[in-house]
């Protein structure tokens, strides 16, 4: 079998009669049948023919097949956004009375889904710290724990969770392990190799890589994906064929893009690590990272995100953003263009200072999504904004 990155380039829809080289766009809501019998058979799930684009679509399937190849997964379903992938993976597989165990450093909207919406449906949750030991994870498991959900590296704190250890616990207790692999991407880290049953992605970030479309995908064990597929085909978070076409093309360059994002990010992290205006800087592949050993064991590189804490807190964060000349101030990450964000005054501004600290959002925290511009131009902009 070809290498994973070759599959991400070569997997393609069957050629049409036009013999196109690049996959065409299948912008169609539904698909036709030659006769009543073939239509009956498709509806009875006796054939895999496309019926309706809420269920399946060739562009969407090509994108799913590539993610399955990259992650080493059996099957998948693609969604309109990362959050609909996260939500679908919860709602399809958990029911009233179940318990979800997660880590308190997770993406903000995921935290909202877990803490505000799951309880409405009678699904209980609890969190452990990102630094929790094996014994602490074990102790948090309840008889009704149905799923363990985690993110590594975490957004925005860049904590690294030990997938081997957590995978062992999930297997021992026969709990579904669901990993958000958005920050690392499958060219850098493959949670299934550590025992994850499901992997979810916000394709909006590095998978697109150019800040154009929203998308999400869930891949993993066939029988779990079948339940997710049935839930999603009825509830309707389907990925648009146009977005799937964009995302599938993006995957052809994912490996080379991520290599450069990571080498630029390591360069920036090393250059800024001892800067006098920073109280600390975090990057998974710096020896100073608290989980450096786990990061280098489970990741191929440190990824494209660097974060640091400005001395001077909230006001220093706002001043830093105002002084940047090239880096974009925007809510996204994982773009060719470098992006700076200051969670305390933006994404997490509605929380109290105590609530922010509880999820490790310190007042002067800056997150840099390192782009593909020349590394010295990125560094120069950050240095002039710090000076
Ligand atoms: C952005 C993000 C999501 C949500 O994805 P959307 O495509 O914005 O819905 C989920 N998890 C992580 C880690 C993210 O960064």
């Amino acid at each position: 079998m070809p290498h994973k990155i070759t599959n991400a380039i070569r997997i393609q829809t069957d050629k049409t009669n036009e013999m196109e080289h690049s996959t065409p766009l299948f912008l169609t809501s539904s698909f036709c049948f030659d006769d009543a019998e073939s239509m009956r058979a498709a509806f009875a799930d006796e054939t895999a023919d496309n019926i309706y684009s809420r269920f399946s679509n060739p562009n969407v399937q090509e994108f799913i097949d590539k993610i399955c190849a990259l992650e080493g997964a059996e099957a998948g379903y693609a969604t309109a956004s990362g959050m609909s992938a996260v939500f679908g993976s919860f709602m399809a597989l958990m029911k009233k009375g179940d318990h979800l165990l997660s880590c308190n450093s997770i993406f903000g909207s995921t935290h909202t889904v877990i803490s505000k919406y799951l309880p409405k449906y009678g699904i209980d949750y609890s969190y452990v710290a990102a630094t929790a030991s094996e014994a602490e994870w074990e102790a948090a498991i309840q008889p009704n724990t149905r799923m363990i959900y985690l993110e590594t590296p975490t957004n925005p704190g860049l904590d690294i969770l030990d997938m081997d250890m957590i995978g062992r616990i999930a297997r021992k207790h026969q709990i579904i392990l669901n990993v958000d692999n958005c920050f690392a991407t499958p060219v850098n880290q493959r949670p299934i190799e550590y025992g994850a049953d499901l992997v979810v992605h916000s394709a909006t970030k590095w998978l697109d890589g150019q800040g154009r479309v929203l998308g999400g995908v869930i891949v993993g064990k066939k029988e779990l994906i079948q339940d997710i597929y049935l839930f999603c085909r009825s509830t309707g978070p389907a990925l648009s064929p146009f977005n799937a076409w964009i995302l599938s093309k993006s995957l052809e360059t994912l490996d080379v893009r991520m290599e450069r994002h990571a080498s630029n990010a390591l360069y920036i992290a090393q250059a800024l690590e001892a800067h006098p205006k920073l109280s600390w800087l975090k990057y998974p592949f710096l020896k100073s990272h608290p989980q450096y050993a786990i990061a280098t064991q489970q990741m191929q590189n440190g990824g494209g995100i660097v974060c640091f804490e400005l001395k001077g807190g909230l006001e220093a964060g706002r001043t830093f953003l105002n002084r940047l000349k090239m880096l974009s101030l925007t809510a996204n990450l994982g773009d060719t263009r470098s992006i700076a964000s200051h969670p305390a005054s933006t994404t997490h501004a509605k929380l109290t200072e105590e609530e922010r600290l509880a999820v490790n959002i310190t007042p002067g925290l800056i997150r840099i999504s390192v782009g593909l511009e020349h590394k010295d131009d990125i560094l120069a902009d950050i240095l002039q904004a710090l000076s």
Side-chain angles (χ1 to χ4, degrees):
M1 207 173 109
H3 291 83
K4 290 183 162 72
I5 63 167
T6 303
N7 282 328
I9 292 168
R10 282 286 166 181
I11 284 175
Q12 199 169 357
T13 55
D14 292 338
K15 283 188 177 46
T16 71
N17 290 338
E18 303 298 337
M19 292 300 285
E20 69 280 351
H21 186 212
S22 177
T23 298
L25 195 42
F26 291 92
L27 279 187
T28 177
S29 330
S30 64
F31 300 84
C32 292
F33 296 91
D34 283 338
D35 49 49
E37 171 51 24
S38 54
M39 194 163 184
R40 183 208 62 78
F43 274 82
D45 293 325
E46 288 167 18
T47 63
D49 292 341
N50 292 307
I51 298 173
Y52 190 60
S53 284
R54 171 152 45 81
F55 306 176
S56 66
N57 171 282
N59 291 122
V60 174
Q61 194 57 47
E62 182 184 285
F63 170 63
I64 294 169
D65 289 345
K66 287 182 177 184
I67 296 290
C68 285
L70 286 166
E71 291 283 7
E74 295 169 1
Y77 185 82
T79 55
S81 68
M83 284 322 300
S84 48
V86 170
F87 185 65
S89 73
F90 290 168
M91 296 314 280
L93 300 174
M94 288 188 288
K95 61 178 191 314
K96 186 177 166 191
D98 285 344
H99 170 254
L100 173 85
L101 177 60
S102 189
C103 162
N104 63 8
S105 5
I106 43 169
F107 183 64
S109 297
T110 306
H111 168 66
T112 303
V113 168
I114 291 177
S115 61
K116 185 170 171 190
Y117 294 110
L118 291 189
K120 270 180 68 170
Y121 300 93
I123 301 163
D124 194 15
Y125 74 95
S126 54
Y127 290 138
V128 295
T131 50
S133 65
E134 184 154 3
E136 286 167 318
W137 275 96
E138 276 279 357
I141 303 229
Q142 300 179 11
N144 58 341
T145 305
R146 166 87 171 139
M147 183 181 285
I148 294 177
Y149 180 84
L150 63 90
E151 229 175 272
T152 182
T154 64
N155 180 8
L158 292 184
D159 295 309
I160 305 293
L161 278 78
D162 185 340
M163 290 193 293
D164 190 45
M165 177 260 280
I166 299 165
R168 230 175 15 245
I169 294 173
R171 270 196 307 282
K172 180 174 153 198
H173 296 276
Q174 296 187 323
I175 295 167
I176 297 166
L177 177 59
N178 187 357
V179 176
D180 181 336
N181 200 24
C182 170
F183 260 39
T185 85
V187 295
N188 186 6
Q189 158 180 292
R190 280 172 296 281
I192 288 171
E193 291 171 4
Y194 295 88
D197 302 290
L198 292 173
V199 175
V200 295
H201 277 284
S202 167
T204 316
K205 314 291 170 53
W206 304 105
L207 300 186
D208 173 44
Q210 289 144 90
R212 300 165 297 183
V213 299
L214 292 181
V217 63
I218 315 159
V219 299
K221 291 231 170 80
K222 214 173 188 162
E223 65 274 16
L224 299 178
I225 294 295
Q226 178 63 13
D227 286 345
I228 290 166
Y229 163 71
L230 292 174
F231 175 81
C232 289
R233 88 175 215 179
S234 292
T235 54
L239 179 64
S240 130
F242 178 75
N243 288 7
W245 180 82
I246 298 266
L247 291 168
S248 182
K249 273 283 163 203
S250 295
L251 293 181
E252 296 180 18
T253 56
L254 181 68
D255 188 61
V256 285
R257 284 189 285 111
M258 292 316 295
E259 237 179 78
R260 179 64 67 85
H261 280 296
S263 64
N264 279 359
L266 180 63
Y267 179 76
I268 304 287
Q270 284 168 336
L272 294 175
E273 194 177 11
H275 196 285
K277 293 272 173 74
L278 310 184
S279 43
W280 51 258
L281 178 145
K282 231 167 163 184
Y283 183 69
F285 269 40
L286 284 186
K287 287 216 170 70
S288 55
H289 190 290
Q291 295 101 33
Y292 171 78
I294 302 166
T296 49
Q297 195 271 319
Q298 66 191 22
M299 297 166 75
Q300 245 132 66
N301 60 54
I305 305 282
V306 176
C307 50
F308 51 76
E309 176 73 12
L310 291 168
K311 290 178 184 165
L314 203 67
E315 229 9 74
R318 293 166 54 88
T319 306
F320 174 76
L321 289 194
N322 283 332
R323 284 190 183 155
L324 287 168
K325 294 193 171 107
M326 182 181 81
L327 268 66
S328 311
L329 310 187
T330 179
N332 201 17
L333 65 92
D335 198 304
T336 52
R337 290 162 292 180
S338 297
I339 294 166
S341 65
H342 179 224
S345 72
T346 57
T347 47
H348 294 70
K350 289 199 189 84
L351 305 183
T352 65
E353 173 111 32
E354 289 72 49
E355 286 171 328
R356 278 199 291 269
L357 288 177
V359 289
N360 297 320
I361 308 289
T362 42
L365 177 69
I366 298 288
R367 184 189 71 194
I368 307 284
S369 169
V370 180
L372 301 180
E373 304 97 336
H374 195 285
K375 60 188 178 181
D376 287 324
D377 293 331
I378 306 169
L379 180 62
D381 194 33
I382 296 172
L383 286 174
Q384 67 78 25
L386 285 174
S387 70

